Amino acid sequence: MDGGDALSNFNVASARAKFPALAHQPQVFFDNAGGSQTLGTVISSITNYLQATNVQTGASYYVARQSTDLCQKGLEAAANFINANADDIVIGPSTTQLFSNLSIALEFPPDAEIILSTIDHGANISSWLRIARTYNLAVKWWTPSSSPKVLTLSAENLRPLLSEKTRLVACTHTSNVLGTIYDIRAIANEVHKVPGAMLCVDGVAFAPHREVDVKALGVDFYAFSWYKVYGPHLAVLYASCSSQAQLKSLAQYFHPSDANLLTRLGLAGASYELMASIPSVVEYFGSKPKEAWKAIALHEERLQSILLEYLNGRDDVFVYGERSSDASLRVPVISFSINGQSSKEFVEKVEACSDFGIRWGHFYSKKLVDEVLERRDDGVIRVSMVHYNTVPQKKK
């Protein structure tokens, strides 16, 4: 951010200067929930690795030792970013892939029940449905509160679904369509009232906007994608120490059963040059990351307040999810529909007359968009911002 100093006031110009793509083209990126722009330091790190240390890790010669050290530092930086231990995380190509690996590794008793949220991205649904079919597990669907304005996942509306057979509950920290922030700590507490039950959280839409502390959240599993948090196209999955006892290893047969999570679940899916660039993402938030995240939240609240005030003031527009701009309640991922107008046609009209990059569709949250929001034809319109977007951009 600013060399590690605490951020008392957010400087968007300083932040934007660290992203090369923002200076090289007129495109206004309002599709950040699909992937953020990449820090210049990350790009340089990847280039430097490929130029100087692009060898197999684990060997004893000099360059291999350098490569091994860079990858280990990447693993440790990723762990520190979410307040975890390096042995308790795995780096992989995507959150979807890591959830798939997790689902294969997690052992279930024959009569187990799993609870899936109807508002989640397919990454935290499809793998569990596949395992449920394979092992004949019972699936219960967790639908948010009926209020069409907020669509809240809560401990209260989860409670009736839990039983002594519940083995896993999967939900999102923040929907990539609705933008509403859910109380994961309260949900985790409710899940853990059932002996042996575990909570798996998709943090992909939350992590670009707020600090993640897996221990404070009390989760068993948590994953997000680095390429949506200003970094390389990788993802990270955390598994609590207690939950790892329920995982069989996917590693090659000669690895010990007590190997770290990267070995047990990673399947060599993390490219070295990308893994080595993760410290550059962490360093961006400075020596006082809590202050940086607070400043980011305040700036994003200003951004989303401009759009939400306009949309909420129109009788022909319906906003999905939290309608308040309060940063404690939502992130700036805002979806809406317009009465009598196709989502696809609206986006195409915007693109034809401006440099704004927005999206229409279901964004892989198909069950949410099709069944809960009942927008089967062409989904919703989504505007997704992050801290390098500006107030003048949004006012346009």
Side-chain angles (χ1 to χ4, degrees):
M1 281 278 183
D2 59 353
D5 296 331
L7 295 177
S8 56
N9 294 296
F10 181 76
N11 186 331
V12 68
S14 176
R16 287 177 63 83
K18 298 184 184 299
F19 294 87
L22 302 183
H24 294 159
Q25 54 188 311
Q27 183 78 69
V28 178
F29 296 100
F30 284 152
D31 183 33
N32 296 287
S36 69
Q37 295 307 300
T38 307
L39 285 160
T41 51
V42 171
I43 297 168
S44 296
S45 173
I46 294 168
T47 301
N48 292 340
Y49 182 96
L50 292 173
Q51 288 177 336
T53 54
N54 189 31
V55 297
Q56 180 65 277
T57 60
S60 57
Y61 58 92
Y62 176 69
V63 174
R65 293 200 308 271
Q66 285 185 304
S67 177
T68 303
D69 182 60
L70 288 169
C71 289
Q72 180 61 29
K73 286 178 178 176
L75 186 71
E76 292 170 357
N80 290 336
F81 191 71
I82 59 173
N83 191 27
N85 299 318
D87 285 348
D88 297 334
I89 67 167
V90 52
I91 305 293
S94 67
T95 296
T96 301
Q97 182 66 65
L98 290 177
F99 277 153
S100 181
N101 292 3
L102 174 64
S103 71
I104 295 167
L106 190 58
E107 298 185 305
F108 293 91
D111 61 346
E113 297 176 350
I114 61 176
I115 299 173
L116 306 178
S117 154
T118 57
I119 69 171
D120 265 57
H121 186 284
N124 208 17
I125 293 178
S126 298
S127 295
W128 303 118
L129 288 179
R130 185 167 58 247
I131 290 300
R133 288 193 296 267
T134 301
Y135 295 106
N136 197 30
L137 307 176
V139 176
K140 292 181 177 179
W141 288 104
W142 179 14
T143 299
S145 298
S146 57
S147 168
K149 291 184 178 180
V150 180
L151 297 171
T152 300
L153 295 177
S154 67
E156 289 71 27
N157 56 35
L158 170 63
R159 191 174 299 128
L161 299 173
L162 295 167
S163 78
E164 62 182 12
K165 294 182 178 181
T166 301
R167 181 69 167 177
L168 181 82
V169 177
C171 73
T172 184
H173 200 161
T174 298
S175 163
N176 72 325
V177 171
L178 304 174
T180 308
I181 299 171
Y182 303 115
D183 188 347
I184 294 299
R185 179 77 233 196
I187 290 169
N189 290 343
E190 193 67 30
V191 170
H192 293 149
K193 290 178 182 178
V194 178
M198 293 174 286
L199 177 64
C200 178
V201 177
D202 178 348
V204 171
F206 181 86
H209 308 282
R210 303 290 185 272
E211 185 177 27
V212 175
D213 184 335
V214 292
K215 292 179 182 177
L217 292 171
V219 294
D220 298 286
F221 308 108
Y222 194 101
F224 69 84
S225 299
W226 288 103
Y227 72 96
K228 300 184 181 183
V229 192
Y230 323 112
H233 205 297
L234 286 177
V236 59
L237 169 71
Y238 160 80
S240 67
C241 188
S242 60
S243 71
Q244 290 181 48
Q246 311 305 316
L247 300 175
K248 58 179 180 284
S249 177
L250 305 184
Q252 297 193 46
Y253 70 92
F254 49 80
H255 286 294
S257 59
D258 61 350
N260 63 18
L261 199 68
L262 181 65
T263 300
R264 294 169 66 195
L265 292 189
L267 298 175
S271 70
Y272 299 153
E273 67 271 19
L274 302 188
M275 193 169 173
S277 74
I278 291 174
S280 297
V281 180
V282 178
E283 289 164 7
Y284 173 64
F285 295 93
S287 61
K288 297 181 179 180
K290 289 186 182 297
E291 296 299 321
W293 283 114
K294 288 178 182 177
I296 284 171
L298 286 174
H299 175 69
E300 290 185 345
E301 184 174 282
R302 295 187 200 104
L303 290 176
Q304 63 191 16
S305 68
I306 296 167
L307 181 58
L308 284 168
E309 182 178 351
Y310 173 74
L311 295 176
N312 288 333
R314 292 187 62 108
D315 294 334
D316 60 342
V317 171
F318 190 88
V319 176
Y320 300 98
E322 177 60 55
R323 304 186 81 162
S324 167
S325 61
D326 187 331
S328 68
L329 301 177
R330 68 142 49 247
V331 300
V333 177
I334 300 170
S335 297
F336 59 97
S337 60
I338 303 172
N339 294 341
Q341 187 160 0
S342 157
S343 296
K344 178 177 181 289
E345 290 176 358
F346 174 81
V347 170
E348 289 174 345
K349 288 178 182 178
V350 170
E351 292 173 345
C353 66
S354 75
D355 293 320
F356 294 156
I358 61 176
R359 292 286 293 273
W360 61 273
H362 56 72
F363 312 104
Y364 293 91
S365 293
K366 190 162 176 57
K367 198 170 188 69
L368 165 62
V369 172
D370 284 5
E371 299 178 19
V372 180
L373 305 184
E374 298 181 341
R375 298 286 304 177
R376 289 178 174 83
D377 291 339
D378 58 1
V380 298
I381 302 157
R382 186 181 73 181
V383 178
S384 54
M385 299 166 282
V386 291
H387 68 280
Y388 54 61
N389 291 122
T390 68
V391 169
Q393 286 175 343
K394 182 47 56 184
K395 285 184 174 179
K396 287 182 181 180

